Amino acid sequence: MKLHRIVALITRHLFLYRRSLPRLMEIFYWPFLDLVVWGFITVYLMRFQGQLPGVVTFFLGALILWDVLFRAQQGITISFLEEIWARNLMNLFASPLKPSEFLAATMAMSVFKVMAVSIIMAVAALTFYSYNVFMIGLWLIPFVLNLIIAGWTIGVLTTSLIMRFGQEAEVLAWGMVFLFQPISCVFYPIEVLPKWLQAIAWANPAAHVFEGMRIVLNQSAVPLVHLAWAIGLNLLFLTFMVTWFHHTVNVCKEKGLLVRVGE
Amino acid sequence: MSHPIVEVQGLTKRFGEFTAVDGISFEIRQGEILGLLGPNGAGKTTTIQMLLSLITPTAGSIRMFGLDLATHRETILSQVNFSSTYISMPYSLTVEENLWFVAKLYGLTDIPRRIDEVVKKLEMEEFRSKVTRKLSSGQMTRLTLAKAILTEPKVLFLDEPTASLDPDIAHKTRSLLKEVRRSAGLSVLYTSHNMREMEDMSDRIIFLQRGKIVAQGTAQEIVKRFGQADLEEVFLKLAREK
């Protein structure tokens, strides 16, 4: 991997954000609105505090962490779509840029987006609802890192599908992550799922993170087992997806799809 | 002119039942401009896309600088660039930002100096700070040409590079390419539907039809062989053959 090629791609995307209102809205506007809506729902649910202890921490904490996963996925997929929209894919893949360098740059972009969105949401939650996401403590760090990696995995999967099936699959950039939301158990414990769905959810690293978060907030135990599962599953799935992405690039070159993906 | 820089042997591309390029072989020598001529759908663009590693050949081999493209992609493509009417550049970036991005991607040093040189050569000073989406088609073509020569490539693939340029800029662009070829020993593969331009630019011409080479040689040799008045008549004769 050559660092200058990764830096070139990252800078190219940062140039975009410098003068594009819609792209800035993606970072500032939607996450903020999300937080406002869910904040009011939480305020309403607080009336039932007796029946639902810790409702604020569960909902707002879960929302902020879910956005970490969502933005990590978007960081990868939207960066790829930007190249399609700009008809720039041929310039990239006819250059010495390697697919692994392309992925590394999109992953860096996703970290940038996650950081920007998380800061905005954390500050807004503190300002409007007196909710401090850092009350989760040091556990927040491994949780967030695992959610970023889970987001990357879904992002690489979505990008591969768009590359393979063309712009018709573009809708997946916004929809794919929500396929994983029910089995990520963001806002409810895993035991509310039917047994067969629980089995699937346990194979989802994000479910382990959110279960772990609830354990920390309940102060019932140390979520080491969940963290270990999340790390193991993340490494397994990310390795598989990156390998699959390389395979997809080769298939697209074979079928001549790479030069037609933006048509 | 000396040794071959690009060597293509038995290059074939099939998409299912359809054969886009059918076992073509040719070479481009150092400092040579090779014209690739043929009607729409003859396989010119597919050939260039295979040379750029955007499409994997079904059969045959591509060697550049003595290296196999299939196994030395990174080394080869760092010394190659291209321009085409069918590509664009990120439209939300300014011309200068786009050139900076390409320069960084190819690992150039002293990027500002190199950008200044190319901008001056292609007379792009007046729109270097303009956002790419606001460029006219002629300015856009100049930008894609600028990105192609910016990286000081040894081989350049140009797919209809002057298609949307006015005669003055097209003439200047041809002169520039000839000058770069002379000074840097640049090898060029050139496609165009402008026959006069092909005659003016190309040292040799390959005529493709339905993926096969049907004629090759200098423009004069091809015209003589087909007993026509000029290259345009040869083109019409070959393109209309069943």
Side-chain angles (χ1 to χ4, degrees):
Chain A
M1 277 211 233
K2 290 274 166 60
L3 187 63
H4 67 83
R5 295 200 281 256
I6 298 169
V7 170
L9 265 180
I10 295 169
T11 316
R12 168 253 188 282
H13 284 287
L14 292 179
F15 281 150
L16 276 180
Y17 281 89
R18 212 161 60 175
R19 64 173 71 88
S20 171
L21 185 64
R23 288 175 183 90
L24 286 175
M25 278 174 70
E26 187 197 327
I27 292 179
F28 296 101
Y29 181 72
W30 296 119
F32 178 73
L33 271 193
D34 248 1
L35 191 88
V36 169
V37 171
W38 280 93
F40 284 131
I41 293 172
T42 308
V43 169
Y44 172 66
L45 290 174
M46 278 172 70
R47 293 180 190 174
F48 312 102
Q49 188 76 295
Q51 293 101 306
L52 293 165
V55 66
V56 179
T57 45
F58 279 159
F59 272 89
L60 286 186
L63 177 71
I64 292 171
L65 288 182
W66 171 252
D67 241 69
V68 166
L69 186 146
F70 183 48
R71 299 298 155 185
Q73 176 263 326
Q74 293 258 295
I76 291 193
T77 316
I78 302 295
S79 300
F80 178 72
L81 282 175
E82 293 279 8
E83 306 300 359
I84 293 181
W85 296 330
R87 291 168 65 211
N88 193 38
L89 270 186
M90 271 173 73
N91 289 324
L92 294 183
F93 285 99
S95 80
L97 183 78
K98 294 177 183 171
S100 54
E101 291 163 346
F102 177 80
L103 280 185
T106 59
M107 286 171 180
M109 274 309 295
S110 92
V111 171
F112 160 76
K113 277 191 182 180
V114 164
M115 282 172 64
V117 169
S118 302
I119 290 169
I120 289 158
M121 292 186 89
V123 170
L126 191 64
T127 310
F128 298 112
Y129 305 107
S130 306
Y131 172 71
N132 181 6
V133 70
F134 297 102
M135 68 189 289
I136 298 172
L138 284 178
W139 283 104
L140 194 63
I141 296 167
F143 287 163
V144 165
L145 290 177
N146 271 288
L147 286 174
I148 289 174
I149 297 171
W152 286 351
T153 305
I154 300 170
V156 177
L157 165 71
T158 314
T159 302
S160 303
L161 290 171
I162 295 171
M163 192 188 288
R164 177 67 183 77
F165 296 105
Q167 250 177 315
E168 284 178 7
E170 194 178 300
V171 66
L172 294 176
W174 291 271
M176 178 63 92
V177 72
F178 292 102
L179 188 66
F180 291 86
Q181 197 179 35
I183 54 164
S184 294
C185 305
V186 183
F187 302 110
Y188 44 79
I190 204 162
E191 71 238 25
V192 305
L193 297 178
K195 280 274 181 246
W196 63 272
L197 204 51
Q198 282 186 32
I200 297 171
W202 284 127
N204 176 11
H208 287 279
V209 171
F210 287 106
E211 279 298 298
M213 181 198 75
R214 277 185 284 272
I215 288 172
V216 171
L217 291 175
N218 284 333
Q219 295 173 331
S220 52
V222 177
L224 273 180
V225 175
H226 285 301
L227 192 60
W229 270 105
I231 292 169
L233 289 168
N234 264 330
L235 290 179
L236 178 73
F237 291 146
L238 186 65
T239 306
F240 176 76
M241 277 306 153
V242 169
T243 309
W244 194 53
F245 177 80
H246 280 81
H247 171 72
T248 306
V249 171
N250 290 334
V251 169
C252 289
K253 283 186 175 186
E254 197 78 42
K255 293 179 179 291
L257 298 173
L258 206 55
V259 293
R260 298 207 304 260
V261 74
E263 291 174 0
Chain B
M1 287 180 206
S2 50
H3 57 284
I5 292 288
V6 179
E7 299 163 273
V8 172
Q9 278 297 323
L11 192 65
T12 302
K13 184 63 198 179
R14 279 189 285 272
F15 297 106
E17 297 291 301
F18 174 69
T19 304
V21 176
D22 197 356
I24 64 172
S25 301
F26 62 88
E27 56 184 42
I28 310 173
R29 292 186 286 269
Q30 188 176 5
E32 183 182 33
I33 299 183
L34 178 69
L36 198 55
L37 201 57
N40 291 334
K44 304 184 299 289
T45 300
T46 305
T47 300
I48 289 180
Q49 287 168 344
M50 283 193 278
L51 291 167
L52 287 167
S53 183
L54 291 165
I55 291 180
T56 310
T58 308
S61 71
I62 298 167
R63 294 179 71 80
M64 286 187 230
F65 320 110
L67 302 169
D68 190 337
L69 180 62
T71 50
H72 295 82
R73 181 189 169 276
E74 190 187 345
T75 313
I76 290 172
L77 291 183
S78 61
Q79 303 172 74
V80 170
N81 215 316
F82 79 109
S83 174
S84 165
T85 44
Y86 308 113
I87 60 152
S88 183
M89 301 286 289
Y91 47 76
S92 298
L93 271 57
T94 65
V95 166
E96 200 158 357
E97 285 169 347
N98 264 315
L99 292 176
W100 186 92
F101 159 62
V102 172
K104 193 79 184 160
L105 192 64
Y106 282 77
L108 296 193
T109 51
D110 201 1
I111 293 173
R113 182 193 59 81
R114 185 69 193 131
I115 290 176
D116 284 344
E117 274 176 17
V118 171
V119 162
K120 200 174 165 195
K121 266 186 186 167
L122 283 168
E123 298 183 16
M124 296 164 63
E125 289 99 334
E126 66 180 79
F127 61 91
R128 69 184 291 171
S129 305
K130 217 172 173 180
V131 175
T132 303
R133 100 159 47 81
K134 292 182 179 168
L135 299 183
S136 68
S137 60
Q139 289 172 333
M140 187 68 211
T141 305
R142 268 189 279 173
L143 172 59
T144 58
L145 264 173
K147 83 100 193 166
I149 61 170
L150 177 73
T151 59
E152 297 176 321
K154 291 180 180 152
V155 177
L156 203 50
F157 300 119
L158 301 174
D159 198 2
E160 299 181 44
T162 57
S164 53
L165 298 178
D166 68 49
D168 176 45
I169 296 291
H171 180 262
K172 283 176 178 163
T173 303
R174 286 194 293 273
S175 302
L176 169 75
L177 288 170
K178 284 178 187 170
E179 187 227 305
V180 176
R181 182 264 285 264
R182 256 195 314 274
S183 60
L186 185 69
S187 307
V188 181
L189 183 67
Y190 199 93
T191 80
S192 173
H193 284 128
N194 181 335
M195 297 302 128
R196 279 186 59 196
E197 181 173 296
M198 277 305 240
E199 288 190 60
D200 175 42
M201 289 295 290
S202 310
D203 298 307
R204 278 189 308 129
I205 290 170
I206 284 177
F207 204 107
L208 276 183
Q209 194 177 30
R210 294 189 201 95
K212 287 185 174 161
I213 294 176
V214 290
Q216 59 180 312
T218 63
Q220 292 83 352
E221 284 169 357
I222 291 176
V223 168
K224 196 175 165 189
R225 189 183 138 193
F226 285 88
Q228 301 294 322
D230 55 27
L231 204 54
E232 184 145 350
E233 288 199 5
V234 177
F235 185 95
L236 292 173
K237 178 181 160 56
L238 286 170
R240 288 169 185 174
E241 269 178 7
K242 298 259 171 179

